[in-house]
Amino acid sequence: MTRGQLILIEGLDRTGKTTQTEILCKKLQPKVELIKYPKRDTPIGKIINEYLTNLDYSLPNQSIHLLFSANRWELMDHIISLLKEGKNVILDRYVYSGVAYSAAKETPRMDWQWCLSPDKGLLRPDLTIFLTQDDLTRQSDRNGFGDERYEISSFQQKVKSQFESLFRNISDSNEVKLLNVSGKSIEEVETLVWEQVELLLKQPNQEFKYF
Ligand code: DGP
């Protein structure tokens, strides 16, 4: 049996990632599973959810970083089994978010290499689509922006820079596609995402790769 493909949609907060992953999931039915990180309903995910939604809940930056990574490891065997069964797996956020959000905090001795290290050995996506936008001040126009810990425009700008340098440093340009959603409708973004996914689905499945 040919294995499924691991497709990641990454992006800044409120760029339409969740909408696009859900649309893609419908298009790939029935052989597909969508996994959204952080997965907030596991024991580790519950602590992450508390951290994100309760600003009075304090944890050292290193600790919360390792919990986000542990949350990805919790599901790794499950994802590998799905892919081996021939199912495509769509991820909403993954390792790149893990590194970009933590490195953007600019904590001493917590550079991007440190941030990547607990994720070393996780499965590498076959395709990553990064949703970005020019004007980050527009994020605050979206409903609910500002409700959670990282939803501050100045911090999002730092996250964007971290994502960009991360893609330059650790990704293969065949696997990572940057998609600027500025001024585009949901349908236009959907079409551009689908173009990339169709190309991937036509390719022969490769050996698993790892970070
Ligand atoms: P979301 O549910 O996609 O809105 O993500 C919640 C918030 O958590 C969002 O601001 C991005 C941030 N985030 C997602 N994954 C990670 C991670 O692995 N590490 C850190 N530090 N932040 C993350």
Side-chain angles (χ1 to χ4, degrees):
M1 166 177 316
T2 53
R3 74 162 173 91
Q5 301 278 7
L6 184 60
I7 301 166
L8 164 62
I9 311 262
E10 271 287 6
L12 299 167
D13 288 20
R14 315 275 163 169
T15 45
K17 267 179 296 74
T18 300
T19 305
Q20 293 299 331
T21 50
E22 285 169 0
I23 292 172
L24 186 57
C25 187
K26 284 198 187 117
K27 287 187 172 174
L28 292 173
Q29 288 295 340
K31 285 175 65 178
V32 64
E33 184 157 323
L34 170 58
I35 295 175
K36 177 168 170 41
Y37 283 119
K39 183 142 177 48
R40 301 187 191 216
D41 58 2
T42 67
I44 292 169
K46 285 181 183 150
I47 305 175
I48 294 173
N49 185 55
E50 180 69 11
Y51 174 81
L52 288 171
T53 55
N54 177 1
L55 299 188
D56 295 327
Y57 183 76
S58 160
L59 274 178
N61 289 340
Q62 291 83 352
S63 304
I64 186 64
H65 178 76
L66 294 172
L67 289 171
F68 272 109
S69 175
N71 188 234
R72 288 184 279 280
W73 280 106
E74 277 185 298
L75 293 173
M76 193 73 302
D77 286 348
H78 175 60
I79 292 174
I80 291 175
S81 309
L82 291 169
L83 294 169
K84 284 185 176 165
E85 283 166 25
K87 276 200 173 174
N88 296 305
V89 177
I90 304 170
L91 302 177
D92 177 341
R93 292 197 190 277
Y94 193 47
V95 171
Y96 299 105
S97 281
V99 177
Y101 282 82
S102 285
K105 294 178 182 175
E106 298 171 345
T107 308
R109 294 170 299 285
M110 233 183 120
D111 57 13
W112 71 264
Q113 288 94 337
W114 186 96
C115 292
L116 180 63
S117 50
D119 282 353
K120 286 262 172 91
L122 285 171
L123 207 54
R124 204 177 172 107
D126 298 294
L127 171 67
T128 296
I129 299 177
F130 175 61
L131 304 185
T132 183
Q133 59 186 10
D134 298 323
D135 182 4
L136 296 185
T137 56
R138 296 294 304 277
Q139 283 175 320
S140 51
D141 298 346
R142 298 188 63 152
N143 243 349
F145 186 83
D147 290 351
E148 287 201 342
R149 188 177 289 258
Y150 298 139
E151 293 176 347
I152 300 162
S153 291
S154 55
F155 183 69
Q156 293 285 321
Q157 188 57 58
K158 290 185 179 171
V159 173
K160 183 180 181 190
S161 306
Q162 288 293 336
F163 266 123
E164 288 168 353
S165 68
L166 197 54
F167 290 134
R168 277 195 304 275
N169 282 314
I170 65 162
S171 72
D172 172 339
S173 58
N174 290 321
E175 291 166 15
V176 178
K177 307 291 170 195
L178 269 53
L179 203 170
N180 192 330
V181 302
S182 300
K184 294 191 179 67
S185 66
I186 291 176
E187 294 73 22
E188 285 168 321
V189 177
E190 173 187 339
T191 305
L192 293 168
V193 167
W194 184 243
E195 276 173 15
Q196 296 299 332
V197 172
E198 265 195 316
L199 280 176
L200 174 73
L201 296 177
K202 283 183 194 145
Q203 287 169 19
N205 297 59
Q206 299 165 343
E207 301 261 296
F208 285 137
K209 283 174 277 175
Y210 302 87
F211 279 98

